[in-house]
Amino acid sequence: MPELQPLPAHLIGGNFLLTETDPGRVFTPEDLTAEQRLMAQTAEKFMEKEVLPHLEALEHQEGDWSRRLFRQAGGLGLLGMGVPADYDGLELDRATIVGVEEQLTRLGGFGVTCGAHSGIGSQPLQYFGTEAQKKKYLAKLASGQWMGAYALSEAGSGSDALGLRTKAELSADGKHYILNGTKMWISNAAWADLFTVFARVDGQQVTAFLVERTFPGVSTGKEEHKLGIKSSSTRRVILEDAKVPVENLLGGVGKGAYIAFNILNSGRFKLGAGAMGAAKEALRGATQYALERHQFGRPLAGFGLIQQKLAEMAVRIFAGESAVYRTAAMMDAVFATGETLAATEPPFPRGLEEFALECSIIKVACSEILDDVADESLQIHGGYGYTEEFSAARTVRDSRINRIFEGTNEINRLFIPGLLLRRAQRGRLPLIGAITKVTQDLLSPAPLEDQSGEDLLSAARGLLGNAKKLTLFIAGVAHQKFGDKMIEEQEVGAALSDLIIDVYLGESAWLRTAKARSTRRETSVLADLTLQFINDAVGRMEGHARRALAALSQGDELRAQLGMVRRLLRWTPLNTVARGRSIARRLCERGSYPALLAAP
Amino acid sequence: MKILVPLKRVPDPDTKIRLKPDGTGVETDGVKFSVNPFDAIALEEALRLEEKLGEMDIVVVSIGGEASIEQLRVGLAMGAQRALLIKTGAALDSLAVAKILAAVYQREQPDFVLMGKQAIDDDANQTGQMLAALLGIGQATFVSRLELVEQRTRARCARETDAGLESITVKLPAIITADLRLNEPRYVSLPGIMKAKKKPLEELELEALGVAAVARTTVLHYEAPPSRQAGVRVPTVEALVDKLKNEAKVI
């Protein structure tokens, strides 16, 4: 395998934890060009004028609205945005695509149909397919003429994806693989024309296949009765002696795991990005309702506790969105190097793999932000929220799946420290040196830099730096105690993940504000949102750190470590009541989240 | 054939309009801007004529600052072949705009001009009519149906009037202004946006056109409409009539 080229510090996956990033190097939503915004507007109008009027029919899967609207979306170029121009795609970068897809995911199920198609449904072929395979199928998928689906899970293997049992055996004449097994919870199953199916060749090697719906032996089960995303189709895919031509084998025999996991990296990123679109829509609905609904002679928006909820939603969406756009551009930059990893045949782009950790962060953080935003939006709607009169109830049902599919949030929380360790062991991330240095620094009596007296944003950056040190220190303590068995200590691993998630989101918000400060005259709202997020994160981080350390140490050692936690996370609480009210007031004046951020 | 379609940059119809505290104008920071919806209808009609009759030269033109390039790009993305920006920072009224468009008309020599009946920001509904008068050519305003007839030398138009639909035929070249029901503009497709990047967009200083843009009207003050007062419930029809007569003074 050829040596990988060294990447600049800010483009090394996981390296944000070990270094500080220059704000000039991050991409932020404020950097979107007029053209990129125009593309998002097309999607916004399409959703409003075409999808919204048919929402009821879509929710009940009446008629063929899903297919019709899907094709129409394809005609506007919304389904092949990331596909190379050679295969009738638009070859857009992720930073552009994110803005468009945020609009497509505003209305639950239809967004899942489109996302499952252009993400996990088309990307295995796009990134792992041969020229011949791509020629045959990719343009059809990019135009929306065909719909794609991804079939990995089985009844007995959900989180344990590689526990799959579907078998593939070469036919006697060597021309076909014969597939037998049943795939579970397959998005788009009712309508998909092409499935990426994972099966074990000779009962052993996990391998991916491109399976056309019309191949003999391929059928789907009945529609699952789901809690939400009812507009989307979810069924079993049944393979009974399904005949798949050998030329439809994807990436090489036994290479299925590379495909499955790397496609899920990208899928997790897309899921998180889409969740931000849905969250903004939920916040818009909550804001509108709070302005219109009067109680005790005032609009709900006039009450402190409602303002607090609205502000909290905006604060968390801001941080999630900042992390999404930052990561999108980082992935774009590594894709742009054109470097490939030769693990599969043909080799696949390095960009798909480099930020697996960041993709997991985004999946977990954004799906949980969406769930909380949806829940609080329903709460603001009160009794009406519990009925179907407003969209709040549907949003709660629709959002819930995001914490489950494409790797549960629990699985992803375990991936995060696991990936850090693995990258360190493979020499892709100088983690061990960083842990050693931090541990020495922290145990030496030298005083920490004093953050008092500086302006709040500088203090916030100092705090984020200390939170990174704390995270590395705890990782070091855990590794010292458990060694490679650390992975079994799931609770400690998840606490580390939660620290890392808050660090990444907080830092992304901070970098975004710092970047805007250098180009815009007025950034007080961005600063307010950033400070509020970091302020709230301090309490959460302290809890995670204490929980982890209490499980790792005891007695005097523990007491000394907890003293260090206090020292590192020293932070004078901000007046979040006043700041929250001011954020909510502005949100209500402007009516929506994006307008909240615009200059005054 | 060549069709000239003027596009005006206006606040998006869905955006919430806020006034500057001193009443000198509308707050533009943080406001989303769009192509004037009636102008988009005019462009859509030009594109449909092209689809029906074969290749045409559709030129979109906007007057204003660099920001209007955004709207011209939308026009190109929808399908226009070429865009022209007449650059000026001056405050313009309908007549000033009509004079500038007249100069653009002389420069471009189109077969006709297809434009919105009015812009949704000032709702003046004057520019099309003034332009026709300045050029001494015919006009068909408030058009809800358009057809080219007699070897494309005339346009047969249905005009929406208070009395109903009026059918007229106007000799080309002419100024045709689009009403709401003429068509439903297409979406700006993503491939369209990509193609627009490669289409020519010419920027021209107003002075280079040889017209002076002098507004003859001045806006003194902007004021938001009063917010709606709470309603009252009246016990009887008599009380209602009394209130309408004596309080509201509308009957």
Side-chain angles (χ1 to χ4, degrees), chain A residues 34-35 38-39 41-42 44-46 49-50 72 76-78 81 90 92 521 588-590 598-600, chain B residues 12 14 16 18 27 29-34 70 73-74 77 184 187-191 193-194 196-197:
Chain A
E35 203 167 78
L38 185 58
M39 290 184 175
Q41 275 172 33
T42 295
E44 185 182 6
K45 279 193 188 146
F46 171 74
K49 290 195 177 161
E50 309 297 329
Q72 202 182 343
L76 291 174
L78 299 170
M81 291 185 284
L90 295 175
L92 297 172
R521 56 198 159 85
C588 290
E589 274 168 23
R590 301 293 179 89
Chain B
D12 187 87
D14 294 329
K16 209 171 151 187
R18 290 170 297 127
E27 192 68 77
D29 269 340
V31 170
K32 197 170 115 190
F33 282 86
S34 298
E70 219 177 288
R73 291 251 178 247
V74 171
E184 172 108 17
Y187 291 102
V188 184
S189 77
L190 271 51
I193 296 169
M194 306 283 283
K197 282 201 272 197

Side-chain angles (χ1 to χ4, degrees), chain A residues 106-117:
Chain A
R106 278 169 48 195
L107 302 171
F110 185 71
V112 172
T113 304
C114 296
H117 161 80

Side-chain angles (χ1 to χ4, degrees), chain B residues 75-86:
Chain B
L76 294 173
M78 279 177 72
Q81 280 82 9
R82 197 154 64 77
L84 175 61
L85 173 67
I86 308 300

